[in-house]
């Protein structure tokens, strides 16, 4: 991957914990199901759905790895109540992907798809945040398979389930719909500062219309 283009530097001491969270010194492995086997010759990253040109955009692993590399120093807040502060995430900014493969004008949300059909929905504004990154590295080292290699999404201002491991693509959507964990009782937005953990906490407008 190319040389770092930009970075944001913040130490753990400058971070604070959202309500209900505890400081985690290490990085626990948390996921549902098996760890997928990476096959570079078969791997493909896609952007599809309501794209501006109506087509599908795709990159193989070599092409995705050649996209501009950026670093973001940001926290990770897990809904299981641990927070890891001040990690450096390296990879491809989500807004860079949006610039290369733009959405149609009426897109409001995205669905991020990962291996085994896992998915996470979010507002387009959350996805295009300056700090949302398709991470390939943490603290200068390649991610391990258990932590999402070759690509995982990091959305620092949302709970970590909104950033799936083993990401394979992004679907642009003109209306919201729930992803894997959202269909199983987790909050549709997932703001840790508001403790939006579970769907029963949702207010009108937080989730898709029934």
């Amino acid at each position: 991957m190319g040389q770092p283009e930009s970075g944001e530097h913040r130490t753990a001491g400058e971070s604070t914990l959202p309500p209900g969270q505890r400081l985690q010194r290490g990085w626990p492995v948390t996921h549902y199901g098996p760890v997928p086997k990476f096959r570079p010759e078969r791997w493909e990253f896609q952007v599809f759905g309501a794209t501006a040109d109506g087509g599908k955009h795709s990159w193989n692993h070599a092409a995705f790895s050649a996209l501009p590399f950026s670093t973001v120093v940001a926290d990770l807040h897990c809904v299981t109540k641990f927070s890891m502060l001040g990690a450096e995430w390296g990879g491809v900014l989500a807004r860079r992907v949006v610039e290369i493969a733009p959405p149609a004008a009426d897109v409001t949300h995205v669905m991020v798809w990962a291996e085994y059909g896992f998915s996470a929905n979010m507002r387009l504004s959350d996805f295009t945040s300056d700090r949302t990154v398709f991470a390939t590295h943490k603290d200068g080292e390649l991610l391990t398979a258990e932590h999402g290699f070759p690509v995982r999404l990091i959305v620092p201002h949302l709970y970590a389930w909104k950033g799936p491991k083993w990401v394979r693509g992004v679907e642009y959507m003109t209306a919201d719909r729930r992803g894997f964990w959202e269909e199983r009782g987790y909050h549709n937005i997932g703001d840790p500062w508001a403790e939006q953990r579970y769907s029963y906490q949702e207010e009108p407008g937080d989730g898709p219309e029934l």
Side-chain angles (χ1 to χ4, degrees):
M1 195 164 283
Q3 291 300 310
E5 170 185 283
S6 63
E8 177 182 339
H9 299 285
R10 184 160 54 94
T11 67
E14 295 173 312
S15 300
T16 57
L17 289 171
Q21 296 294 108
R22 66 179 184 277
L23 182 63
Q24 178 71 41
R25 294 297 182 186
W27 190 10
V29 174
T30 56
H31 59 84
Y32 177 82
V35 176
K37 182 176 177 59
F38 175 55
R39 295 179 174 86
E41 72 282 0
R42 299 182 185 178
W43 192 89
E44 184 180 44
F45 184 98
Q46 299 183 354
V47 176
F48 60 99
T51 59
D53 62 9
K56 182 177 74 173
H57 302 257
S58 62
W59 295 262
N60 62 22
H61 187 250
F64 189 85
S65 298
L67 293 176
F69 185 94
S70 298
T71 59
V72 173
V73 176
D75 308 333
L76 184 145
H77 305 297
C78 183
V79 73
T80 60
K81 299 190 176 183
F82 78 79
S83 289
M84 185 173 63
L85 303 184
E88 182 184 87
W89 308 98
V92 180
L93 294 176
R95 64 177 173 83
R96 178 70 68 190
V97 173
V98 169
E99 290 169 1
I100 298 170
D106 55 347
V107 167
T108 58
H109 292 77
V110 303
M111 188 75 76
V112 179
W113 290 96
E115 298 282 3
Y116 303 131
F118 285 104
S119 58
N121 64 309
M122 69 193 71
R123 298 168 294 195
L124 182 62
S125 58
D126 292 318
F127 183 70
T128 56
S129 164
D130 288 346
R131 303 176 73 213
T132 300
V133 59
F134 289 103
T136 57
H137 293 68
K138 176 185 172 289
D139 296 331
E141 300 290 337
L142 274 175
L143 295 175
T144 64
E146 291 77 13
H147 283 303
F149 177 84
V151 178
R152 72 173 294 161
L153 185 66
I154 299 294
V155 190
H157 64 284
L158 301 180
Y159 280 120
W161 89 78
K162 288 290 187 178
K165 300 178 182 181
W166 312 302
V167 173
R168 297 296 299 272
V170 177
E171 178 186 0
Y172 292 146
M173 305 190 297
T174 57
D176 193 14
R177 70 177 192 270
R178 295 180 188 271
F180 180 88
W181 288 114
E182 294 79 13
E183 288 182 333
R184 289 159 175 80
Y186 284 84
H187 199 284
N188 195 59
I189 296 176
D191 180 352
W193 298 98
E195 283 201 272
Q196 293 175 336
R197 300 179 191 274
Y198 305 111
S199 59
Y200 71 79
Q201 300 170 301
E202 291 176 8
E203 301 288 342
D206 285 347
E209 294 183 6
L210 299 176

PDB file of all heavy atoms in Angstrom, residues 48-71:
ATOM      1  N   PHE A  48     -21.465  -1.273  -4.844  1.00  0.00           N
ATOM      2  CA  PHE A  48     -22.605  -1.542  -5.724  1.00  0.00           C
ATOM      3  C   PHE A  48     -23.852  -0.903  -5.130  1.00  0.00           C
ATOM      4  O   PHE A  48     -23.790  -0.142  -4.162  1.00  0.00           O
ATOM      5  CB  PHE A  48     -22.781  -3.048  -5.923  1.00  0.00           C
ATOM      6  CG  PHE A  48     -23.026  -3.824  -4.655  1.00  0.00           C
ATOM      7  CD1 PHE A  48     -24.307  -4.198  -4.278  1.00  0.00           C
ATOM      8  CD2 PHE A  48     -21.962  -4.179  -3.825  1.00  0.00           C
ATOM      9  CE1 PHE A  48     -24.529  -4.905  -3.101  1.00  0.00           C
ATOM     10  CE2 PHE A  48     -22.175  -4.892  -2.649  1.00  0.00           C
ATOM     11  CZ  PHE A  48     -23.459  -5.254  -2.292  1.00  0.00           C
ATOM     12  N   GLY A  49     -24.999  -1.202  -5.718  1.00  0.00           N
ATOM     13  CA  GLY A  49     -26.245  -0.584  -5.274  1.00  0.00           C
ATOM     14  C   GLY A  49     -26.497   0.688  -6.058  1.00  0.00           C
ATOM     15  O   GLY A  49     -26.288   0.740  -7.277  1.00  0.00           O
ATOM     16  N   ALA A  50     -26.935   1.740  -5.362  1.00  0.00           N
ATOM     17  CA  ALA A  50     -27.314   2.991  -6.013  1.00  0.00           C
ATOM     18  C   ALA A  50     -26.080   3.868  -6.248  1.00  0.00           C
ATOM     19  O   ALA A  50     -25.892   4.915  -5.623  1.00  0.00           O
ATOM     20  CB  ALA A  50     -28.352   3.719  -5.178  1.00  0.00           C
ATOM     21  N   THR A  51     -25.227   3.426  -7.164  1.00  0.00           N
ATOM     22  CA  THR A  51     -24.047   4.208  -7.518  1.00  0.00           C
ATOM     23  C   THR A  51     -24.430   5.333  -8.474  1.00  0.00           C
ATOM     24  O   THR A  51     -25.464   5.272  -9.153  1.00  0.00           O
ATOM     25  CB  THR A  51     -22.972   3.330  -8.164  1.00  0.00           C
ATOM     26  OG1 THR A  51     -23.527   2.724  -9.344  1.00  0.00           O
ATOM     27  CG2 THR A  51     -22.508   2.240  -7.213  1.00  0.00           C
ATOM     28  N   ALA A  52     -23.587   6.364  -8.546  1.00  0.00           N
ATOM     29  CA  ALA A  52     -23.890   7.510  -9.390  1.00  0.00           C
ATOM     30  C   ALA A  52     -23.982   7.128 -10.859  1.00  0.00           C
ATOM     31  O   ALA A  52     -24.800   7.686 -11.607  1.00  0.00           O
ATOM     32  CB  ALA A  52     -22.843   8.601  -9.188  1.00  0.00           C
ATOM     33  N   ASP A  53     -23.158   6.183 -11.295  1.00  0.00           N
ATOM     34  CA  ASP A  53     -23.168   5.790 -12.707  1.00  0.00           C
ATOM     35  C   ASP A  53     -24.009   4.554 -12.977  1.00  0.00           C
ATOM     36  O   ASP A  53     -24.070   4.070 -14.108  1.00  0.00           O
ATOM     37  CB  ASP A  53     -21.742   5.587 -13.220  1.00  0.00           C
ATOM     38  CG  ASP A  53     -20.987   4.479 -12.491  1.00  0.00           C
ATOM     39  OD1 ASP A  53     -21.607   3.744 -11.694  1.00  0.00           O
ATOM     40  OD2 ASP A  53     -19.768   4.346 -12.716  1.00  0.00           O
ATOM     41  N   GLY A  54     -24.634   4.010 -11.931  1.00  0.00           N
ATOM     42  CA  GLY A  54     -25.484   2.834 -12.107  1.00  0.00           C
ATOM     43  C   GLY A  54     -24.742   1.526 -12.224  1.00  0.00           C
ATOM     44  O   GLY A  54     -25.365   0.470 -12.379  1.00  0.00           O
ATOM     45  N   GLY A  55     -23.422   1.563 -12.124  1.00  0.00           N
ATOM     46  CA  GLY A  55     -22.635   0.349 -12.290  1.00  0.00           C
ATOM     47  C   GLY A  55     -22.030  -0.144 -10.993  1.00  0.00           C
ATOM     48  O   GLY A  55     -22.182   0.467  -9.932  1.00  0.00           O
ATOM     49  N   LYS A  56     -21.336  -1.262 -11.089  1.00  0.00           N
ATOM     50  CA  LYS A  56     -20.621  -1.842  -9.959  1.00  0.00           C
ATOM     51  C   LYS A  56     -19.137  -1.542 -10.117  1.00  0.00           C
ATOM     52  O   LYS A  56     -18.591  -1.632 -11.218  1.00  0.00           O
ATOM     53  CB  LYS A  56     -20.844  -3.360  -9.905  1.00  0.00           C
ATOM     54  CG  LYS A  56     -20.162  -4.031  -8.728  1.00  0.00           C
ATOM     55  CD  LYS A  56     -20.487  -5.526  -8.688  1.00  0.00           C
ATOM     56  CE  LYS A  56     -19.739  -6.278  -9.767  1.00  0.00           C
ATOM     57  NZ  LYS A  56     -19.898  -7.749  -9.641  1.00  0.00           N
ATOM     58  N   HIS A  57     -18.486  -1.211  -9.000  1.00  0.00           N
ATOM     59  CA  HIS A  57     -17.053  -0.941  -9.006  1.00  0.00           C
ATOM     60  C   HIS A  57     -16.371  -2.021  -8.174  1.00  0.00           C
ATOM     61  O   HIS A  57     -16.875  -2.412  -7.117  1.00  0.00           O
ATOM     62  CB  HIS A  57     -16.767   0.434  -8.410  1.00  0.00           C
ATOM     63  CG  HIS A  57     -17.463   1.553  -9.130  1.00  0.00           C
ATOM     64  ND1 HIS A  57     -16.818   2.395 -10.005  1.00  0.00           N
ATOM     65  CD2 HIS A  57     -18.765   1.954  -9.117  1.00  0.00           C
ATOM     66  CE1 HIS A  57     -17.670   3.275 -10.493  1.00  0.00           C
ATOM     67  NE2 HIS A  57     -18.864   3.028  -9.961  1.00  0.00           N
ATOM     68  N   SER A  58     -15.228  -2.504  -8.632  1.00  0.00           N
ATOM     69  CA  SER A  58     -14.567  -3.581  -7.896  1.00  0.00           C
ATOM     70  C   SER A  58     -13.055  -3.447  -7.998  1.00  0.00           C
ATOM     71  O   SER A  58     -12.521  -2.888  -8.959  1.00  0.00           O
ATOM     72  CB  SER A  58     -15.020  -4.947  -8.408  1.00  0.00           C
ATOM     73  OG  SER A  58     -14.683  -5.121  -9.765  1.00  0.00           O
ATOM     74  N   TRP A  59     -12.388  -3.963  -6.962  1.00  0.00           N
ATOM     75  CA  TRP A  59     -10.934  -3.986  -6.887  1.00  0.00           C
ATOM     76  C   TRP A  59     -10.506  -5.380  -6.439  1.00  0.00           C
ATOM     77  O   TRP A  59     -11.088  -5.944  -5.504  1.00  0.00           O
ATOM     78  CB  TRP A  59     -10.418  -2.991  -5.842  1.00  0.00           C
ATOM     79  CG  TRP A  59     -10.669  -1.550  -6.122  1.00  0.00           C
ATOM     80  CD1 TRP A  59      -9.802  -0.654  -6.676  1.00  0.00           C
ATOM     81  CD2 TRP A  59     -11.855  -0.798  -5.822  1.00  0.00           C
ATOM     82  NE1 TRP A  59     -10.371   0.602  -6.740  1.00  0.00           N
ATOM     83  CE2 TRP A  59     -11.635   0.537  -6.222  1.00  0.00           C
ATOM     84  CE3 TRP A  59     -13.098  -1.137  -5.251  1.00  0.00           C
ATOM     85  CZ2 TRP A  59     -12.603   1.531  -6.081  1.00  0.00           C
ATOM     86  CZ3 TRP A  59     -14.057  -0.147  -5.110  1.00  0.00           C
ATOM     87  CH2 TRP A  59     -13.811   1.165  -5.517  1.00  0.00           C
ATOM     88  N   ASN A  60      -9.479  -5.927  -7.052  1.00  0.00           N
ATOM     89  CA  ASN A  60      -8.884  -7.131  -6.488  1.00  0.00           C
ATOM     90  C   ASN A  60      -7.967  -6.705  -5.340  1.00  0.00           C
ATOM     91  O   ASN A  60      -7.821  -5.518  -5.048  1.00  0.00           O
ATOM     92  CB  ASN A  60      -8.160  -7.958  -7.560  1.00  0.00           C
ATOM     93  CG  ASN A  60      -7.005  -7.209  -8.216  1.00  0.00           C
ATOM     94  OD1 ASN A  60      -6.446  -6.252  -7.667  1.00  0.00           O
ATOM     95  ND2 ASN A  60      -6.630  -7.652  -9.414  1.00  0.00           N
ATOM     96  N   HIS A  61      -7.329  -7.673  -4.695  1.00  0.00           N
ATOM     97  CA  HIS A  61      -6.559  -7.325  -3.511  1.00  0.00           C
ATOM     98  C   HIS A  61      -5.389  -6.410  -3.835  1.00  0.00           C
ATOM     99  O   HIS A  61      -5.108  -5.452  -3.092  1.00  0.00           O
ATOM    100  CB  HIS A  61      -6.060  -8.589  -2.805  1.00  0.00           C
ATOM    101  CG  HIS A  61      -5.401  -8.297  -1.493  1.00  0.00           C
ATOM    102  ND1 HIS A  61      -4.042  -8.438  -1.291  1.00  0.00           N
ATOM    103  CD2 HIS A  61      -5.914  -7.832  -0.321  1.00  0.00           C
ATOM    104  CE1 HIS A  61      -3.756  -8.092  -0.050  1.00  0.00           C
ATOM    105  NE2 HIS A  61      -4.858  -7.725   0.567  1.00  0.00           N
ATOM    106  N   ALA A  62      -4.714  -6.649  -4.937  1.00  0.00           N
ATOM    107  CA  ALA A  62      -3.575  -5.809  -5.310  1.00  0.00           C
ATOM    108  C   ALA A  62      -4.033  -4.382  -5.592  1.00  0.00           C
ATOM    109  O   ALA A  62      -3.377  -3.410  -5.178  1.00  0.00           O
ATOM    110  CB  ALA A  62      -2.863  -6.391  -6.525  1.00  0.00           C
ATOM    111  N   ALA A  63      -5.150  -4.224  -6.289  1.00  0.00           N
ATOM    112  CA  ALA A  63      -5.640  -2.888  -6.630  1.00  0.00           C
ATOM    113  C   ALA A  63      -6.134  -2.152  -5.383  1.00  0.00           C
ATOM    114  O   ALA A  63      -5.894  -0.951  -5.228  1.00  0.00           O
ATOM    115  CB  ALA A  63      -6.760  -2.990  -7.663  1.00  0.00           C
ATOM    116  N   PHE A  64      -6.818  -2.854  -4.491  1.00  0.00           N
ATOM    117  CA  PHE A  64      -7.278  -2.207  -3.264  1.00  0.00           C
ATOM    118  C   PHE A  64      -6.082  -1.787  -2.413  1.00  0.00           C
ATOM    119  O   PHE A  64      -6.072  -0.703  -1.831  1.00  0.00           O
ATOM    120  CB  PHE A  64      -8.196  -3.136  -2.478  1.00  0.00           C
ATOM    121  CG  PHE A  64      -8.878  -2.462  -1.322  1.00  0.00           C
ATOM    122  CD1 PHE A  64     -10.057  -1.766  -1.504  1.00  0.00           C
ATOM    123  CD2 PHE A  64      -8.337  -2.513  -0.049  1.00  0.00           C
ATOM    124  CE1 PHE A  64     -10.688  -1.124  -0.448  1.00  0.00           C
ATOM    125  CE2 PHE A  64      -8.949  -1.884   1.017  1.00  0.00           C
ATOM    126  CZ  PHE A  64     -10.130  -1.179   0.816  1.00  0.00           C
ATOM    127  N   SER A  65      -5.066  -2.634  -2.363  1.00  0.00           N
ATOM    128  CA  SER A  65      -3.873  -2.322  -1.573  1.00  0.00           C
ATOM    129  C   SER A  65      -3.095  -1.142  -2.135  1.00  0.00           C
ATOM    130  O   SER A  65      -2.293  -0.529  -1.424  1.00  0.00           O
ATOM    131  CB  SER A  65      -2.960  -3.552  -1.497  1.00  0.00           C
ATOM    132  OG  SER A  65      -3.615  -4.621  -0.851  1.00  0.00           O
ATOM    133  N   ALA A  66      -3.324  -0.813  -3.409  1.00  0.00           N
ATOM    134  CA  ALA A  66      -2.628   0.306  -4.038  1.00  0.00           C
ATOM    135  C   ALA A  66      -3.354   1.638  -3.853  1.00  0.00           C
ATOM    136  O   ALA A  66      -2.827   2.681  -4.240  1.00  0.00           O
ATOM    137  CB  ALA A  66      -2.447   0.023  -5.527  1.00  0.00           C
ATOM    138  N   LEU A  67      -4.543   1.624  -3.262  1.00  0.00           N
ATOM    139  CA  LEU A  67      -5.268   2.866  -3.023  1.00  0.00           C
ATOM    140  C   LEU A  67      -4.526   3.709  -1.967  1.00  0.00           C
ATOM    141  O   LEU A  67      -3.767   3.175  -1.163  1.00  0.00           O
ATOM    142  CB  LEU A  67      -6.690   2.562  -2.559  1.00  0.00           C
ATOM    143  CG  LEU A  67      -7.615   1.903  -3.592  1.00  0.00           C
ATOM    144  CD1 LEU A  67      -8.960   1.562  -2.961  1.00  0.00           C
ATOM    145  CD2 LEU A  67      -7.809   2.803  -4.802  1.00  0.00           C
ATOM    146  N   PRO A  68      -4.737   5.025  -1.966  1.00  0.00           N
ATOM    147  CA  PRO A  68      -4.010   5.896  -1.018  1.00  0.00           C
ATOM    148  C   PRO A  68      -4.184   5.442   0.432  1.00  0.00           C
ATOM    149  O   PRO A  68      -5.293   5.145   0.878  1.00  0.00           O
ATOM    150  CB  PRO A  68      -4.647   7.267  -1.261  1.00  0.00           C
ATOM    151  CG  PRO A  68      -5.123   7.221  -2.674  1.00  0.00           C
ATOM    152  CD  PRO A  68      -5.573   5.803  -2.892  1.00  0.00           C
ATOM    153  N   PHE A  69      -3.076   5.406   1.135  1.00  0.00           N
ATOM    154  CA  PHE A  69      -3.027   4.925   2.520  1.00  0.00           C
ATOM    155  C   PHE A  69      -3.058   6.117   3.475  1.00  0.00           C
ATOM    156  O   PHE A  69      -2.313   7.083   3.299  1.00  0.00           O
ATOM    157  CB  PHE A  69      -1.738   4.124   2.717  1.00  0.00           C
ATOM    158  CG  PHE A  69      -1.584   3.462   4.057  1.00  0.00           C
ATOM    159  CD1 PHE A  69      -1.975   2.143   4.231  1.00  0.00           C
ATOM    160  CD2 PHE A  69      -1.034   4.151   5.128  1.00  0.00           C
ATOM    161  CE1 PHE A  69      -1.817   1.525   5.458  1.00  0.00           C
ATOM    162  CE2 PHE A  69      -0.872   3.536   6.365  1.00  0.00           C
ATOM    163  CZ  PHE A  69      -1.271   2.218   6.523  1.00  0.00           C
ATOM    164  N   SER A  70      -3.923   6.052   4.480  1.00  0.00           N
ATOM    165  CA  SER A  70      -4.024   7.103   5.483  1.00  0.00           C
ATOM    166  C   SER A  70      -4.001   6.480   6.867  1.00  0.00           C
ATOM    167  O   SER A  70      -4.286   5.281   7.033  1.00  0.00           O
ATOM    168  CB  SER A  70      -5.327   7.898   5.307  1.00  0.00           C
ATOM    169  OG  SER A  70      -5.374   8.545   4.055  1.00  0.00           O
ATOM    170  N   THR A  71      -3.666   7.276   7.859  1.00  0.00           N
ATOM    171  CA  THR A  71      -3.722   6.805   9.241  1.00  0.00           C
ATOM    172  C   THR A  71      -4.673   7.675  10.050  1.00  0.00           C
ATOM    173  O   THR A  71      -4.769   8.890   9.826  1.00  0.00           O
ATOM    174  CB  THR A  71      -2.342   6.803   9.911  1.00  0.00           C
ATOM    175  OG1 THR A  71      -1.800   8.129   9.886  1.00  0.00           O
ATOM    176  CG2 THR A  71      -1.394   5.851   9.203  1.00  0.00           C
TER     177      THR A  71
END
